[in-house]
Structures are given as C-alpha cells and as structure tokens.
Amino acid sequence: MKGFPNQVTDLSKLAKGMQCLLRLLEQGRNGKDDGIFGQALVQAGVAGTGHTPMPVEQYIRQQLTKRPSDQSFRTTARGLRELYRLFRLIDDTGPQVEVTDLGRRAANFAGLSLNAEQLDFWRSLVRNIIHDGGDAQTSHPYQVLLRLVGRKPGITRAKCALALEAKNDSPRELGRIIRLVDLPDDRILRQLRVTKSNWDNAKKVLPSLAEQLGDVIVTLRGRDKTYRLADAPGRADAGPAAAPGVVARPGRDRSAPLTPRTSRQVTPETIGRAGTAERRDPEFQLPADLDPAA
C-alpha cells in the first residue's frame, strides 16, 4: 500500500502552511530545514501544540529539548512538504525549495474563507495527484477513491484506504480492490500485509479532502463514516448521485443512463458557449480507460 503524508488535511491550513513556506523563502531562510519550517508552522497555527495544548513558545522550547528525530513539528514539516510536492505546489528536488505558480496561488488563499474558486483550485490539484508506489507504476489516488466510492456506495471511511492500494488506474486494479471491500478490516490487512498503523494513516487524508471538496455525501453509521458520490463534483448540497443503472422516464428510452440532477439542457445555440464562463478543472486529465458511454 502506498504511503501518503497525513499530517495536515484541512484546506485552509494547507493554504496557510504554503504561505509560511513562501515567507521563509522570501526571507532567505532554508525551507528544506524541517526545524525552521516546523517552528513556523506551529507559530502560524498550522501545526498543533500537542494533545494537551500549551502556549506556542513553551511548546517549541519543550520540543527543542528532545532529539531532532523526536521533535513532532519536524515530522509535520517533512510530511507537509511531501504533500506540497505531490500537489505540484513546490519543487524541492534541488538544494533549495522552489515555489511554483500554483504554490503562490495557494499561498494567496491563506486567511480567506473557502469559496467556489478555492474549492475548484484544490479539486484540480487533488484529482491530478500522481503517486508512485516505488514499483515503476503510478496511479491517481483521488480518482481511484471516487471510482471506488462510486462502485461501492456506503463504503466506510476505513476502507477508503484501499484507494492507496491500487498500483495503477487500470480497471483490473480497480476490480481487485473492489473485491476486498466486503472483507473484514483485519482480513484485508493480513491479505495485503499492511500494518495497522499504515492502514490507519491511509484512511485519513483522501476521504477528508473529498468531504471538504463536496465530492461525497457522508453518513454516520455508528462511530464510522460512510460515503456515497455526490450528484456531481462539488455538489454534496444536491444529495447523492443516483445508483448505477438505468432509469425509466416518460418519453425516454428505458435504457438511457440516469443523468445528474444538477445537469441542464442545452440548445444548439447554447451548447457552443457551454462552460466558457464557468469551465472547471482545466488541468484535470481524463483517465485513458474512461468509457464515454458510462
């Protein structure tokens, strides 16, 4: 199962963390130093001050008495930088961190209330994450997650971790992880040879992002969350998408696929203009295996 940085999942904090990193670089400080970046994250409120919150400077002094490997803000800084790299907000493969145009745009969102523009921006980044599991195969984990939820409506948050099990974006890999969904969690862990800690970490970030982006409908089942796809991307307010299958409507072919409730009719005059003023996710790459009929 692919690892995934899980230190910060809140979109507002991700923007603020990007602002912290950009400011450090503008001050000529080393953004690749986990200690420098980590302390800045604590001071900005992006990273917390422990299970029992304490004043920021007191917490930093306490952390500095520990070995560097035990300083929690260093772990947060390292994981957050990895996430920014996956989002293509930064390039830290060289001696210095380089902030991309996308990274500067993300930093500009710091301190602002989430709105439609920001959600479209983050959705584009999240959908286009390409993850390499170290086996020369890559996948788009968030796209896999949405396909998984679409095929298994009511899937639990824990089993959304399987989105990081897919080696690639192929239908065969999707089918393999779908067959695992109905198994008990402990059996999945044994079959995949995944530790409990890795499993718990894998379920943290992608479902949280899907909730914030409004791409899924959340239902509580006891203490666990379950998910269904929203009617359309970002339209959790419109309710869940219809179940896969066919629909019978007056005057329609009974084999016609059910369309989202949020779709709209167009005329020959308006279809040419459709999306010119509200086109979304310009960088979203459609998967090669997409079935146009489906």
Side-chain angles (χ1 to χ4, degrees):
M1 181 173 287
K2 296 173 180 176
F4 203 86
N6 56 73
Q7 284 71 26
V8 179
T9 62
D10 182 88
L11 293 176
S12 296
K13 288 188 175 182
L14 290 176
K16 189 176 291 186
M18 196 62 232
Q19 182 188 64
C20 284
L21 182 56
L22 185 59
R23 285 178 175 174
L24 288 177
L25 299 176
E26 289 174 344
Q27 295 166 4
R29 305 177 72 186
N30 186 3
K32 296 189 75 168
D33 187 311
D34 295 336
I36 292 175
F37 186 30
Q39 290 185 51
L41 291 173
V42 175
Q43 291 165 339
V46 177
T49 56
H51 296 295
T52 303
M54 63 180 71
V56 169
E57 295 307 321
Q58 178 184 347
Y59 174 76
I60 291 176
R61 287 195 301 271
Q62 182 194 77
Q63 288 291 305
L64 291 176
T65 64
K66 302 178 180 181
R67 294 179 303 175
S69 59
D70 294 331
Q71 294 172 10
S72 60
F73 57 66
R74 286 179 175 269
T75 303
T76 300
R78 188 162 52 252
L80 194 51
R81 211 168 47 243
E82 180 184 353
L83 186 61
Y84 289 157
R85 189 187 319 129
L86 288 171
F87 281 161
R88 295 178 292 119
L89 300 180
I90 65 170
D91 179 358
D92 61 349
T93 56
Q96 301 291 334
V97 177
E98 300 290 338
V99 177
T100 66
D101 290 341
L102 289 173
R104 293 180 183 278
R105 187 176 174 193
N108 288 336
F109 292 142
L112 302 179
S113 298
L114 280 173
N115 57 23
E117 177 191 359
Q118 293 181 50
L119 291 175
D120 284 349
F121 171 79
W122 289 112
R123 183 179 296 108
S124 176
L125 295 186
V126 173
R127 280 180 167 179
N128 284 299
I129 290 175
I130 299 175
H131 204 352
D132 183 348
D135 55 0
Q137 297 192 65
T138 60
S139 68
H140 293 77
Y142 190 72
Q143 295 182 35
V144 174
L145 172 69
L146 296 183
R147 292 175 194 157
L148 183 59
V149 175
R151 292 283 295 275
K152 300 295 289 188
I155 187 172
T156 63
R157 176 174 178 265
K159 289 179 179 176
C160 287
L162 288 168
L164 290 169
E165 167 62 19
K167 297 181 184 299
N168 52 54
D169 297 327
S170 69
R172 181 176 181 177
E173 273 297 282
L174 180 62
R176 181 175 70 86
I177 63 174
I178 284 175
R179 289 191 291 272
L180 294 170
V181 171
D182 295 328
L183 299 178
D185 289 16
D186 56 349
R187 185 174 172 186
I188 296 175
L189 267 61
R190 290 196 302 272
Q191 187 164 327
L192 298 181
R193 298 181 181 179
V194 176
T195 66
K196 182 66 163 57
S197 60
N198 286 346
W199 177 257
D200 288 341
N201 286 335
K203 67 187 181 186
K204 290 180 180 178
V205 180
L206 295 179
S208 175
L209 293 173
E211 289 182 39
Q212 294 175 78
L213 293 172
D215 291 346
V216 295
I217 304 295
V218 184
T219 304
L220 289 178
R221 183 191 297 167
R223 295 184 177 181
D224 206 350
K225 292 180 177 180
T226 64
Y227 297 94
R228 291 184 63 185
L229 282 184
D231 183 55
R235 291 305 310 270
D237 60 317
V246 298
V247 62
R249 292 179 183 170
R252 287 195 58 177
D253 181 348
R254 289 176 178 268
S255 65
L258 186 66
T259 56
R261 290 183 298 276
T262 50
S263 63
R264 60 180 178 176
Q265 291 184 332
V266 295
T267 68
E269 290 73 27
T270 61
I271 192 169
R273 301 194 300 271
T276 54
E278 54 184 1
R279 184 175 292 115
R280 298 189 176 192
D281 300 347
E283 298 174 301
F284 177 42
Q285 300 299 313
L286 293 175
D289 59 305
L290 179 68
D291 179 356

